[in-house]
Amino acid sequence: MVSYAVYDAIAADPEMAAASGIRMKCSDFFFPCPVEEDPAQLHKMLELQKSGVRGFVCDARLIQERNVSPKYGAVDAYEHLAPIIDTDRAMTWLMGLVDDKGAKFVTDTVHGDIFDCENELRTRFNADAIVNATGLAGEELAGDSTCYPIRGGLIRVINDGSDFPKVNTALTITADAVHDSNEIVFIVPRNDDILLIGGIAQSHQWQLDLTLNTPIIQRMRARCEAFLPDLKNARVDPRYPLAQGLRPFRACNVRVERELRQRDVVLDGSTEVKKLPSRIVHSYGQGGAGWSLSFGCAGDVAVLVEEALMDQPPRAMAVIKPA
């Protein structure tokens, strides 16, 4: 909820909201059975209610109000306010904030285990510490064999109200709600005139070679049109019709942790060998939840960097074993 509170505050400031592309809008979730009959979904809903999200309501009438097809099979729904982020604009805004604070942007490539070249990198960039937030590159840079991609794709359509009633609410059926990662419905207004429709989750697929004619993309669009029939009239954005990318997952959940390996160093004027902690902090494996986890992870990273600068011994984070 750390990021939720930050985004909520940004969206409440008209100037910041316009600059960042962050707005709070209704986000609706639909289910193939009453939420109370699915223990996992009921638990999630109750936790959500306790979390402090604004505008929560559980009401099956949302199905009709949002023009969801009665033939699709949704029988229950709930809604709450959530940040809707134009990520292109938000990234530009965030980079501007960092630039204003005096940061220097450098594009370069690092190969191999970052622990092995830590001293060289810190010397080259006159850095007190290193934060490894390289996503899927954690496999190489952190020697983490549990990193893997989940390929995703989204169709971008014109959402200006001329072809179908303008969609102003995010509409979602999650994979865990239908117990099938191939049945995701993800319909989200990205900015004033673009609507994203999706989605897919293809584990361990590295190639970014999807097109609008790829069968899984065609099935994705047909699924969204069956859910929201108004989309049958949608026009694809001619400038940028299909967004695709690799979500950087990790088998053992997100890693926000200091480097646990330590170096053997010989003190000046002595033969004594001492263990010196690394000043690398890792933050990767956020998967498809990078924006949701961003400020919370950043806060944890800041604490870990402070510990590293004091050369305190690193502590291993709790490990959640994959099911």
Side-chain angles (χ1 to χ4, degrees), residues 113-128:
D113 192 327
I114 197 172
F115 180 75
D116 295 335
C117 55
E118 176 183 1
N119 290 337
E120 185 271 326
L121 288 172
R122 286 178 51 198
T123 299
R124 192 201 319 175
F125 294 106
N126 192 28
D128 295 316

Side-chain angles (χ1 to χ4, degrees), residues 178-192:
V178 291
H179 309 288
D180 187 343
S181 62
N182 295 315
E183 294 299 324
I184 301 169
V185 171
F186 180 84
I187 301 171
V188 177
R190 177 50 56 93
N191 52 42
D192 289 340

Side-chain angles (χ1 to χ4, degrees), residues 4 69 91 106 112 117 121 140 149 160 169 207-208 216 219 231 237-238 255 259 267 272 283 296 314-315:
Y4 184 97
S69 172
M91 283 299 298
V106 177
C117 55
L121 288 172
E140 177 181 357
D160 60 5
T169 301
Q207 299 301 316
L208 295 177
I216 194 170
R219 292 195 299 272
L231 293 179
D237 178 7
R255 185 184 186 190
E259 174 59 54
L267 302 178
E272 179 186 358
S283 179
R315 296 167 295 169

Side-chain angles (χ1 to χ4, degrees), residues 241-313:
L242 179 67
Q244 58 184 302
L246 304 178
R247 306 177 183 98
F249 275 80
R250 184 172 178 265
C252 298
N253 213 334
V254 180
R255 185 184 186 190
V256 180
E257 179 181 55
R258 286 178 60 194
E259 174 59 54
L260 301 177
R261 291 171 291 179
Q262 302 187 63
R263 302 184 188 284
D264 291 331
V265 297
V266 178
L267 302 178
D268 291 340
S270 170
T271 59
E272 179 186 358
V273 177
K274 181 182 179 181
K275 293 288 187 182
L276 185 66
S278 166
R279 288 189 176 181
I280 297 171
V281 176
H282 299 286
S283 179
Y284 61 86
Q286 284 84 357
W291 289 94
S292 298
L293 300 176
S294 58
F295 286 100
C297 288
D300 290 343
V301 166
V303 171
L304 294 175
V305 168
E306 290 181 0
E307 292 180 2
L309 293 178
M310 293 185 287
D311 292 323
Q312 295 181 3

